[in-house]
Amino acid sequence: MRSGPSRDIAEFEIDDRVAVGQNVDGETTLRLSAPGAELVLSLNGGHIQSCRIGGGSDDLLWMSTERPVDPAKPRRGGIPVCWPWFGAHQDDPALPSHGTARTSAFGVTDTGADAEWTWAMLSLLDRSRLPAAYAGADLQLHVRVGPRLIVTLQTTNSGAQTIPLTQALHTYFNIADIADVAIDGLAGCPYADALDGLAIRSHDGPVNFAGEVDRIYNTQGREITLCDFGLSRTIRLASKGSLSSVVWNPWVAKSERLGDMGPEGYRRMVCIETANAGADVVQLRPGQQHRLTADLSVGPLSKA
Ligand code: TA6
């Protein structure tokens, strides 16, 4: 276990369990390894960029092969941290979409490993672009990898004003083909349709894809299952501290507008985001703490 302030990130390395490296974009990374599992995260944005669990050979996460068109955005994919607001800022559209954390420097505060798990704790270092309303907001990112992947965003309000917090772990799941997946657990759950002025709708049965989908479901902590028939696996997504889940695939036209999805990239990814988004605003009072947790596991396709 390594903890406490450290000048040199190498002090957080642990044998074959925690290693410092660099990614293709020249960012400093931490590689966490555990029996049957491995994860890579970038200190730029606390951005988890790759993860394998359950002894599987297929990455849990999709990452674009292209650099972002807008250098102010992270390379698309993995688990971007959307904080301290989700989507466009409600008062100032000039502020970065999905907040400032995903393009801000994080520092390592602790690492550790036991027989099954390896973990790292990071804190947001660069708070320079946060608007005044968020002056008291501190952010820690806890990542645990082993039999499952457990990611937690912990927000502490150390200021004197209530902070209106929306947030997401904007997870891009790696899939074989968007036309050959089903998302279970959302039947009957009301959602705001971002493609139709946030009209409130619901549906029966699983979510399948035949075009762009961009929905904020009022899930209230329901478990969600992604069935990937092409990769013959089921990904279970449990959550804590999350009132909403966002399901998104850009399909063809939006992918072309985004410009950083790579050829047919939209076919290989689907976002299921553990969030407090849309109307689900957390009013964090002075001294309060909020934790948003995504708990991911992988298994064989459940028999239909
Ligand atoms: O989470 C879905 C969403 O809000 C979509 O509307 C789309 O904008 C996506 O996030 C990606 O946003 P980004 O700013 O990363 O390009």
Side-chain angles (χ1 to χ4, degrees):
M1 173 89 74
R2 304 277 188 278
S3 58
S6 157
R7 282 190 312 285
D8 184 341
I9 190 171
E11 293 175 33
F12 292 100
E13 292 190 306
I14 301 175
D15 308 330
D16 59 343
R17 306 294 289 272
V18 180
V20 176
Q22 203 172 70
N23 67 14
V24 65
D25 296 315
E27 300 166 342
T28 300
T29 58
L30 273 192
R31 180 181 297 274
L32 307 184
S33 303
E38 187 171 84
L39 175 142
V40 176
L41 66 86
S42 166
L43 298 193
N44 180 25
H47 189 190
I48 298 171
Q49 299 185 329
S50 169
C51 181
R52 287 178 175 77
I53 54 176
S57 58
D58 292 307
D59 208 309
L60 206 56
L61 307 175
W62 174 88
M63 277 293 283
S64 177
T65 54
E66 313 280 320
R67 287 183 181 279
V69 172
D70 176 355
K73 285 193 172 181
R75 184 182 284 263
R76 190 175 300 280
I79 309 181
V81 171
C82 300
W83 185 92
W85 63 85
F86 179 86
H89 189 274
Q90 61 179 12
D91 302 324
D92 181 354
L95 289 170
S97 168
H98 289 326
T100 57
R102 65 175 176 165
T103 51
S104 298
F106 279 68
V108 184
T109 57
D110 188 17
T111 54
D114 64 19
E116 284 191 296
W117 298 87
T118 303
W119 58 90
M121 293 200 219
L122 296 86
S123 63
L124 174 66
L125 296 179
D126 173 8
R127 305 169 71 258
S128 59
R129 289 176 295 130
L130 282 173
Y134 304 91
D138 298 319
L139 178 64
Q140 274 77 40
L141 172 68
H142 302 176
V143 180
R144 284 173 68 80
V145 69
R148 306 191 319 272
L149 169 61
I150 305 174
V151 186
T152 295
L153 289 182
Q154 177 177 292
T155 304
T156 305
N157 182 353
S158 53
Q161 306 298 323
T162 295
I163 292 169
L165 179 66
T166 55
Q167 58 188 330
L169 290 164
H170 194 299
T171 308
Y172 287 73
F173 287 102
N174 169 40
I175 56 176
D177 187 339
I178 191 65
D180 199 17
V181 298
I183 299 176
D184 291 326
L186 296 172
C189 183
Y191 68 87
D193 188 343
L195 302 181
D196 185 13
L198 297 179
I200 302 299
R201 296 196 167 96
S202 66
H203 56 73
D204 297 330
V207 179
N208 301 112
F209 296 83
E212 183 179 357
V213 169
D214 193 349
R215 303 172 182 173
I216 304 175
Y217 285 85
N218 182 247
T219 33
Q220 303 282 327
R222 288 186 187 207
E223 180 171 299
I224 298 172
T225 302
L226 170 61
C227 300
D228 182 342
F229 302 104
L231 292 182
S232 294
R233 71 179 182 185
T234 295
I235 296 174
R236 278 187 174 68
L237 174 53
S239 64
K240 286 184 195 145
S242 164
L243 293 176
S244 30
S245 303
V246 181
V247 173
W248 178 59
N249 183 280
W251 213 253
V252 179
K254 179 143 189 185
S255 286
E256 286 164 2
R257 291 198 301 273
L258 290 171
D260 62 357
M261 292 288 297
E264 297 248 306
Y266 78 94
R267 302 198 69 91
R268 297 300 314 272
M269 53 68 65
V270 64
C271 283
I272 307 176
E273 306 156 32
T274 306
N276 293 104
D280 297 326
V281 182
V282 176
Q283 297 295 345
L284 201 60
R285 290 193 299 278
Q288 269 195 325
Q289 204 166 63
H290 181 276
R291 287 189 186 86
L292 171 73
T293 296
D295 185 333
L296 303 176
S297 58
V298 175
L301 267 182
S302 42
K303 293 283 171 281

